[in-house]
Amino acid sequence: MKIKHFILFLLLSVTIVSCCNKKHLSVPNNDIDFRNLTEFTIDGIKLDFDVIGIKDICICDSLLLFNTTDATGYLKIFSLNNLKELASICTEGRAANEFISPTLLSKQYYHRDGDVILPMIDNKAFIKELNITQSLLKKRSVIGEKGDNINAYLGTSLIVNNNLSERFEYYYSNRDNLAIEDSKYTPPYYYVTNGDEKTKIDVFKRIMDSDVESFASVCYSSGLIKHPSQNIIVQYFTYLDYLIYFDLDKKNTFSVHQMGSISFDSFLSSKANGGKTIYNFCAADCTSDFIIFLYGANDMTINSDNYNNSPFDILLFDWKGNYLAGGHLCDVVHDIAYDRIHKKLYGINRRDDIIYQFDLTEIVRYLETIVR
């Protein structure tokens, strides 16, 4: 009888240990502190732009771009020097230099032969390289290379080495009705592709544990931002305090996580925060020195009387995963773009078609002192 009890105890112990050791993340993780550390308060200036239906904002060198719902010219281009409109291009249509439904590729742009190239997704199916420089000269949309986009309902991608055939691809967590495992949802997965060659990057072993699997799947919602000149990509999560860094050339992948917050190994309750939706990393832009994230999960913001109409913070990280500084914006914006020449941050309020400008000179000056 004692032997049976001992065997039962041993089996239970092994089960408990194996459950506790179920890791969901395959890459090294750094727990750091970045919540509630904003050092600056930043007032915005409301700008008088005659642009409606703004979907996205992007800055390319000295140009401010708005992707809009205006079919007569989806893309509005302004000069950052005087904020005057330079062109309205990307008209609606099915011709090679027209668009059905354009979206920006995570603010990614690059240079080729001295021209500014902006890759844009059209109708969720194709990527077209819009030559901004030549479009301004010729007063019409000039398209260079074209390629197929991955199924936008399954994932998203960024361009590597400024070459449309080389991509970093991120595939969302999806329901797999044929799965024989306990979970019917697959974890997100990643590939680096070059033509027909595909190399997988292992990041997640399994999806997060939750009382509602579909809820856990949604919590992997995220965005991507790429270093301007290096093959370093950062994934930022909308509903979790996580950043994942992918240094493709050095084959180094790691995550950064707010210590004490929900992790990928936590049990995720669908009733967390009392059912209130909290946005963590919502939008991003970058320079070669730092990444700026729009962040909505600081305590002051979460505890405000009207969360959905409360201004968010900006958090600045370097490309090695270190938190640098933060500031509290005094106006509500939903997307951001940074002008590194004039040290100005531009933000759009999609709800009211309002454009704000924030002066980041003080933060940048602070960064220069801590870098030294």
Side-chain angles (χ1 to χ4, degrees), residues 97-263:
N97 67 336
E98 295 177 324
F99 292 81
I100 296 173
S101 178
T103 55
L104 301 178
L105 196 65
S106 299
K107 296 182 175 63
Q108 185 176 13
Y109 76 97
Y110 37 87
H111 299 88
R112 183 179 296 142
D113 300 325
D115 290 348
V116 175
I117 307 297
L118 180 74
M120 298 186 74
I121 301 172
D122 187 27
N123 203 27
K124 297 185 176 180
F126 307 100
I127 297 181
K128 298 179 178 180
E129 286 189 337
L130 177 67
N131 189 315
I132 296 291
T133 305
Q134 295 303 316
S135 296
L136 288 173
L137 289 173
K138 298 179 180 180
K139 304 298 182 184
R140 59 178 175 82
S141 303
V142 177
I143 303 296
E145 297 291 326
K146 292 176 286 187
D148 292 332
N149 186 37
I150 68 173
N151 189 323
Y153 296 100
L154 298 180
T156 187
S157 66
L158 287 179
I159 295 167
V160 178
N161 292 323
N162 302 342
N163 184 347
L164 277 187
S165 65
E166 297 182 55
R167 311 275 184 86
F168 173 87
E169 298 180 345
Y170 166 62
Y171 290 87
Y172 309 137
S173 169
N174 278 300
R175 182 175 176 83
D176 182 3
N177 292 321
L178 299 178
I180 59 174
E181 293 84 2
D182 293 337
S183 174
K184 292 295 184 184
Y185 282 83
T186 61
Y189 54 98
Y190 308 77
Y191 285 104
V192 176
T193 66
N194 187 353
D196 294 329
E197 297 179 12
K198 300 188 82 162
T199 303
K200 188 174 183 181
I201 302 176
D202 291 319
V203 176
F204 296 107
K205 295 180 180 179
R206 52 200 291 268
I207 198 169
M208 293 175 70
D209 298 313
S210 175
D211 55 337
V212 179
E213 281 192 321
S214 59
F215 180 74
S217 179
V218 169
C219 285
Y220 289 89
S221 299
S222 55
L224 300 173
I225 192 80
K226 182 185 177 297
H227 190 285
S229 59
Q230 300 179 35
N231 290 323
I232 303 175
I233 292 169
V234 178
Q235 181 180 20
Y236 54 96
F237 287 79
T238 309
Y239 304 113
L240 295 169
D241 271 330
Y242 269 105
L243 302 172
I244 300 183
Y245 283 70
F246 300 85
D247 188 331
L248 303 183
D249 292 335
K250 295 181 179 179
K251 295 181 172 54
N252 179 34
T253 303
F254 64 92
S255 66
V256 172
H257 171 244
Q258 167 60 44
M259 62 177 66
S261 69
I262 293 174
S263 75

Side-chain angles (χ1 to χ4, degrees), residues 40 57 65 106 139 153 182 193-194 197 234 250 267 284 316 324 327 340 352 354 363 365:
F40 302 90
I57 183 174
L65 282 59
S106 299
K139 304 298 182 184
Y153 296 100
D182 293 337
T193 66
N194 187 353
E197 297 179 12
V234 178
K250 295 181 179 179
F267 181 86
L316 281 69
L324 300 175
R340 60 180 177 79
D352 302 315
I354 299 175
I363 290 184
R365 189 180 297 126

Side-chain angles (χ1 to χ4, degrees), residues 78-89:
F78 290 79
S79 167
L80 283 169
N81 295 321
N82 55 23
L83 300 183
K84 299 296 184 182
E85 184 170 351
L86 301 177
S88 176
I89 57 175

